[in-house]
Amino acid sequence: MGLILKTNELIKEALEARKMSYSPYSKYKVGAALLTKDGKVYRGCNIENAAYTPTNCAERTAFFKALSEGEHDFESIAVVGGYGDIPEGYAYPCGVCRQVMMEFCDSKTFKVITAISENEYIEKTLEELLPLGFGPSNL
Ligand code: THU
């Protein structure tokens, strides 16, 4: 295994993260695995709340864990979501998560991988998911 994980290995991390999902209200379980440029992986899951709005998505959980440990250089993120034991469809990051990514990633090179299994995935750049976005370079 090199410095940068293979995509299927990052997806495996996201599937593991999904097992920790706290989603008693929507029952929709999401896992994310954020890869830093130096090869570290930060896992995240969605964490819901009885008051609903404090809910945190899996992607932001992963980002905030990494950022709070001093990480600032990100390569890619894998996301898996669904109701069942196995994701039944492709889950894309919500708009709020895309905006958080925009704050900390180069949108032309940062990759978002949405997967239904280790070997079935779609890869997009952040720019494809958030075209003409507003970020730090606009200020
Ligand atoms: N959710 C995520 O964790 N990531 C996404 O990209 C989409 C939505 C969560 C939030 C909530 O707990 C549940 O999925 C249903 O919206």
Side-chain angles (χ1 to χ4, degrees):
M1 189 166 75
L3 185 62
I4 295 299
L5 281 189
K6 293 201 185 93
T7 301
N8 69 305
E9 291 168 323
L10 193 64
I11 294 167
K12 209 189 278 185
E13 293 278 345
L15 289 165
E16 281 304 307
R18 186 170 174 267
K19 294 180 184 167
M20 307 307 286
S21 168
Y22 177 75
S23 41
Y25 307 107
S26 75
K27 318 260 191 251
Y28 189 82
K29 298 187 278 290
V30 187
L34 176 63
L35 181 64
T36 67
K37 285 197 172 148
D38 61 2
K40 277 189 239 145
V41 176
Y42 288 84
R43 292 180 184 176
C45 63
N46 56 331
I47 303 167
E48 297 187 346
N49 190 281
Y52 287 24
T53 50
T55 293
N56 207 55
C57 290
E59 298 90 323
R60 275 176 291 142
T61 302
F63 265 92
F64 295 154
K65 281 174 68 181
L67 289 158
S68 67
E69 299 291 327
E71 302 288 353
H72 278 271
D73 296 317
F74 302 111
E75 180 76 21
S76 59
I77 191 167
V79 185
V80 289
Y83 290 102
D85 288 340
I86 299 167
E88 58 277 340
Y90 291 105
Y92 284 95
C94 79
V96 172
C97 289
R98 293 176 199 202
Q99 188 62 35
V100 168
M101 292 174 196
M102 184 81 194
E103 187 68 25
F104 298 106
C105 304
D106 176 345
S107 64
K108 286 191 193 310
T109 59
F110 184 73
K111 291 176 285 298
V112 178
I113 297 144
T114 174
I116 52 176
S117 74
E118 261 183 63
N119 298 307
E120 294 167 285
Y121 60 87
I122 298 166
E123 189 177 293
K124 301 274 186 194
T125 63
L126 177 57
E127 190 177 49
E128 288 176 289
L129 297 185
L130 189 62
L132 306 172
F134 189 87
S137 67
N138 295 106
L139 296 176

